[in-house]
Amino acid sequence: MLSFAAYSYPKSESYREILISSAASGILIYLFLIIFQPFGTENFHHQYKYLLLFPYSVIFGLAFFITDSIVIRFKNWNIGAELLKLTVIIFLASVLSYFYNTLFLSRVSLSFTNYLYMFLYSLAVGIPISAIYILSRYIYLKNLHEKTAREVSQQLATHPEASAQKFHPALIITTNNTELKIPADHFICAQSMENYCSLFFIENKEVKKLLIRTTLSGLLDQVQTESIKKCHRSYIVNLDKVKNVRGNAQGYKLFLSEIDFEVPVSRGFISLIIPKLGLSKG
């Protein structure tokens, strides 16, 4: 169960996306209330009934927007954090809904017992809406990343010779007892292993792997160029070596012909790495 909660999950990365998804969630809440009329809503008679129900839509949409606007600042996100976020949204929406219902509709005294009923109502409505939200967001990002990956991969396949036309400086990597000089176009990638880094590069037309004692940030200071970039908290990659890109709901994977493993792109690096891949070969 804990391993499932730790599985990476995509979060909103732009305020425009947050606004759209929040508005859509609020509209779903409103449609749910006017179509199914749960929790005694069918017994509520008023000439402006549907107008009076609309603020619940605004309340839930606002709860989504406020929470997602805070969450956007977090870097690492997983299913457990997403479920916690949805719990906070339902709690916030239940509080706002309770005050709206008590002060403007029912006009009764504030009561903790009545709030508990409102919380249960919000939970009953919020759970199916949250399930729709999670599923639709997963499908949307999966399709978006797959489409972008296909477009970038096509550009990579169309212009494979572009990297040969670039100027490639020599990289000088210095650690405690090691000094290594590598042409930049021979650098493949580097993987962090706590205080060590596995360095992959080409030497005498063969792929070499060298374990050096340095942090990834320390290595990045020595090797970063226009094409060699950090793409993940544990990886540095030479974008000129990327042959194919694949996308899913969590993000992107880079495939290089010289190595037999994929290099992930963290969500925080997507806006830097993916456009640069397309431009570097275009």
Side-chain angles (χ1 to χ4, degrees):
M1 182 65 181
L2 292 177
S3 60
F4 172 77
Y7 187 74
S8 178
Y9 183 84
K11 65 180 178 66
S12 298
E13 298 290 349
S14 71
Y15 286 103
R16 179 176 178 273
E17 182 184 341
I18 289 174
L19 182 61
I20 293 174
S21 62
S22 299
S25 300
I27 292 172
L28 285 176
I29 290 289
Y30 183 64
L31 292 175
F32 185 88
L33 291 176
I34 65 175
I35 293 174
F36 298 102
Q37 300 196 31
F39 320 125
T41 305
E42 72 278 6
N43 298 322
F44 175 64
H45 301 290
H46 194 284
Q47 60 177 337
Y48 299 119
K49 173 180 179 177
Y50 296 119
L51 183 61
L52 292 174
L53 289 176
F54 185 73
Y56 289 112
S57 166
V58 177
I59 286 171
F60 270 87
L62 185 62
F64 268 92
F65 183 81
I66 292 173
T67 309
D68 276 334
S69 296
I70 296 173
V71 163
I72 196 174
R73 303 177 184 180
F74 290 84
K75 292 184 178 180
N76 298 321
W77 203 248
N78 53 42
I79 291 178
E82 182 69 11
L83 294 176
L84 179 61
K85 183 196 79 173
L86 293 173
T87 302
V88 171
I89 288 173
I90 292 174
F91 171 74
L92 179 59
S94 70
V95 172
L96 297 175
S97 297
Y98 172 68
F99 280 109
Y100 169 68
N101 180 272
T102 301
L103 300 178
F104 296 99
L105 295 185
S106 302
R107 296 183 183 276
V108 296
S109 300
L110 296 174
S111 166
F112 182 71
T113 301
N114 288 339
Y115 166 70
L116 289 180
Y117 281 114
M118 179 58 72
F119 177 74
L120 293 176
Y121 295 157
S122 300
L123 201 62
V125 175
I127 288 177
I129 299 302
S130 297
I132 294 173
Y133 171 85
I134 291 176
L135 181 60
S136 60
R137 176 167 175 72
Y138 182 89
I139 294 173
Y140 165 74
L141 286 176
K142 180 176 181 292
N143 292 335
L144 176 64
H145 291 165
E146 286 180 347
K147 178 183 177 183
T148 302
R150 285 195 300 270
E151 292 174 350
V152 173
S153 295
Q154 288 174 359
Q155 293 181 27
L156 293 173
T158 304
H159 304 280
E161 73 288 347
S163 62
Q165 302 172 4
K166 293 184 178 181
F167 169 71
H168 298 288
L171 305 176
I172 300 177
I173 302 171
T174 304
T175 61
N176 292 339
N177 299 314
T178 304
E179 182 171 307
L180 188 66
K181 186 174 182 180
I182 306 173
D185 59 328
H186 287 189
F187 181 91
I188 301 173
C189 71
Q191 180 181 11
S192 173
M193 303 173 65
E194 296 184 354
N195 293 325
Y196 290 85
C197 283
S198 291
L199 186 65
F200 296 84
F201 60 98
I202 298 174
E203 184 178 80
N204 297 325
K205 298 182 179 181
E206 294 184 357
V207 176
K208 301 289 185 179
K209 178 181 177 181
L210 179 65
L211 186 65
I212 58 176
R213 184 176 176 83
T214 184
T215 62
L216 196 71
S217 59
L219 179 61
L220 182 64
D221 291 338
Q222 301 183 69
V223 302
Q224 183 167 232
T225 66
E226 181 183 349
S227 300
I228 299 175
K229 300 290 183 183
K230 183 179 180 181
C231 64
H232 184 274
R233 60 194 172 111
S234 300
Y235 288 91
I236 297 172
V237 67
N238 186 344
L239 299 179
D240 287 338
K241 298 294 184 180
V242 177
K243 301 302 180 183
N244 191 23
V245 182
R246 295 180 188 173
N248 55 34
Q250 281 71 44
Y252 299 91
K253 304 289 186 182
L254 308 180
F255 292 82
L256 296 76
S257 58
E258 293 87 354
I259 56 177
D260 58 0
F261 58 90
E262 58 192 29
V263 177
V265 179
S266 296
R267 288 189 296 269
F269 291 96
I270 287 177
S271 60
L272 170 66
I273 298 299
I274 300 304
K276 195 169 183 65
L277 270 174
L279 291 174
S280 66
K281 303 291 184 176

